Amino acid sequence: MRGSNGANFLQGRLGDDTYSFIPEPQPNSAAGSKIRDTGGNDRLLLKNDRAQDLPISLSSPRPGILGLKRDETALVLDLNRDGVIERSKDLAILDFFKDNGAGSGFIEQVGTLSGIDILNANREFLPVGADFDSDRKADLVWRNRATGENMVWRLDGTTLIGSDSLVTVPDRNWVMGGTGDFNNDGETDIAWRNNATGENVVWFMDRTTIAETGSFLTIPDLNWAIGGTGDFNGDGKTDLAWRNYATGENAIWLMDGTNIAQPAFIQPVPDRNWVMSGAGDFNRDNKADLVWRNDATGENAIWLMNGTQLMEGNYFTAVKDSNWRIGQTGDFNQDGNTDIAWHNGASGLNAVWLMNGTQLDQGQYIAPLQGSSWNLINSRSPLT
């Protein structure tokens, strides 16, 4: 099957298929094309007008290279090399990530890359946590409840390499609810909730600069708090997890940008000492799971989720000192595992637990931050 010069739709079947794009005269003349396959040992040929293979980079899109990015369950090639994924201007392999392996949409050879290599490099296409400098390593976001200052710590693993101030928000009723890529532009955005009005907003970021702001549904019941952000249903979009600290109810909003695509209640937890402390993919199924901490007992747990369904609960290492709070989750050391960052509000100490699935592999202290008013996103008391 051969496509060229414009928006093509190539539909493969169960056999061994070869898809060819030979754009003429520019490599983006196949813009808007789509491929869908249903099985077999398949390959995609992508050549220039001199029949030479176009080199494809395994890295995320950036200007000047032919990079890749996951967009929902599709794999999109940045044909025009502008560093931005737009299906109307690029080439999409539909359902490439649907089965996370051979099957619907999967193509064994994508240009100069192996399909398996692309799948094994899923961290290049999935959120690693709050990453404000695009180094594929998680950073930390801080808020000062007394002054309204906000800042980002840029980390290289567990080493602090720099900090950047964000816009100050003096109204202490505004609390950070979490981070994620809400507009699918490859940048880390910040979700906020106002604990006096019930308003909820998103800062759409360009690194550490606010590009624009958006809002989503106001929740007047102030007992509800955002407990975590992540992609719970594997569609490549950031969702929101909520906890009601009066009733013990919990919910997940499956989002489409700032629009609620599907809200769902999940398993309730009546004991309000259990704090929903973040979300991340702890079992590598490309769906976010929930992290919990019990402020009274020091117990910690992870709920392995399949969308809005609880599949399995796992306790991990308890921390009896209640001054330690879970602050953020993310992949700090680029090993593909979601890790956990901690902040001690009494001592100012900070630590990162490098995880192996749901179990602690190694704990490391990182730079301290003195002052009881400084908190990571989830290291404050609920509803404050």
Side-chain angles (χ1 to χ4, degrees):
M1 301 178 203
R2 175 169 173 164
S4 181
N5 291 329
N8 306 276
F9 183 84
L10 302 184
Q11 173 69 61
R13 297 298 180 188
L14 294 175
D16 299 343
D17 301 311
T18 297
Y19 305 93
S20 296
F21 281 91
I22 308 176
E24 299 170 353
Q26 299 296 328
N28 65 347
S29 62
S33 294
K34 301 177 180 64
I35 296 172
R36 177 181 281 122
D37 197 81
T38 55
N41 191 358
D42 312 302
R43 60 179 180 161
L44 165 65
L45 303 180
L46 190 62
K47 300 179 180 293
N48 62 20
D49 56 352
R50 297 181 298 280
Q52 299 170 325
D53 288 329
L54 291 174
I56 302 175
S57 172
L58 195 57
S59 67
S60 299
R62 61 180 185 269
I65 68 166
L66 208 170
L68 307 170
K69 185 175 181 181
R70 175 177 176 165
D71 182 11
E72 300 183 19
T73 59
L75 175 67
V76 184
L77 284 67
D78 183 20
L79 278 185
N80 62 359
R81 308 181 197 188
D82 64 354
V84 179
I85 287 297
E86 298 175 274
R87 292 201 194 189
S88 62
K89 299 179 181 179
D90 298 314
L91 171 62
I93 302 173
L94 304 181
D95 295 331
F96 183 87
F97 292 96
K98 184 175 181 180
D99 295 326
N100 201 25
S104 177
F106 183 76
I107 294 179
E108 283 73 12
Q109 191 71 30
V110 180
T112 55
L113 298 176
S114 161
I116 291 295
D117 288 342
I118 294 171
L119 286 177
N120 288 341
N122 263 352
R123 64 177 181 267
E124 292 291 334
F125 308 102
L126 299 173
V128 298
D131 178 18
F132 287 90
D133 53 1
S134 300
D135 65 350
R136 306 304 302 170
K137 298 176 185 177
D139 303 315
L140 295 176
V141 188
W142 296 91
R143 175 154 173 76
N144 190 307
R145 291 180 298 160
T147 65
E149 296 172 278
N150 304 294
M151 68 175 176
V152 170
W153 274 11
R154 287 178 282 108
L155 296 174
D156 182 3
T158 56
T159 301
L160 175 63
I161 59 174
S163 64
D164 298 288
S165 295
L166 304 174
V167 172
T168 297
V169 180
D171 183 353
R172 63 168 295 170
N173 290 306
W174 284 105
V175 296
M176 291 182 183
T179 63
D181 184 3
F182 286 91
N183 57 349
N184 205 29
D185 66 349
E187 300 283 345
T188 297
D189 308 313
I190 303 173
W192 293 80
R193 176 158 172 76
N194 190 303
N195 282 340
T197 66
E199 295 172 278
N200 302 295
V201 303
V202 176
W203 283 0
F204 296 110
M205 304 297 290
D206 180 1
R207 298 213 168 198
T208 55
T209 300
I210 303 173
E212 60 180 310
T213 62
S215 61
F216 50 97
L217 183 67
T218 295
I219 304 295
D221 183 350
L222 303 181
N223 292 302
W224 285 101
I226 299 173
T229 53
D231 180 7
F232 286 90
N233 60 341
D235 67 351
K237 300 178 181 179
T238 301
D239 308 311
L240 295 170
W242 295 82
R243 175 151 173 74
N244 188 309
Y245 285 91
T247 66
E249 294 172 288
N250 302 300
I252 290 175
W253 284 2
L254 301 178
M255 304 293 289
D256 182 5
T258 56
N259 297 312
I260 303 171
Q262 181 182 342
F265 285 104
I266 60 174
Q267 184 79 23
V269 179
D271 183 353
R272 66 165 293 166
N273 289 307
W274 281 104
V275 177
M276 190 185 290
S277 299
D281 181 10
F282 286 89
N283 59 347
R284 296 196 184 196
D285 66 350
N286 298 333
K287 297 177 183 177
D289 309 306
L290 289 172
V291 185
W292 296 85
R293 174 156 174 74
N294 190 307
D295 278 350
T297 66
E299 293 170 287
N300 302 300
I302 292 172
W303 279 7
L304 299 178
M305 305 292 293
N306 182 13
T308 58
Q309 299 299 313
L310 171 61
M311 304 303 291
E312 179 183 339
N314 291 275
Y315 288 102
F316 62 103
T317 309
V319 178
K320 298 295 185 181
D321 184 349
S322 61
N323 290 306
W324 283 102
R325 290 182 176 272
I326 295 172
Q328 284 178 229
T329 61
D331 184 2
F332 288 89
N333 59 344
Q334 257 188 337
D335 67 349
N337 288 300
T338 297
D339 308 310
I340 298 174
W342 295 78
H343 174 62
N344 188 310
S347 66
L349 293 175
N350 300 300
V352 171
W353 280 9
L354 302 176
M355 304 292 288
N356 182 8
T358 60
Q359 298 304 310
L360 171 62
D361 184 41
Q362 179 183 184
Q364 296 184 10
Y365 285 105
I366 60 175
L369 181 61
Q370 302 298 327
S372 59
S373 294
W374 283 105
N375 289 280
L376 292 170
I377 289 176
N378 291 305
S379 65
R380 67 190 182 278
S381 297
L383 309 178
T384 64

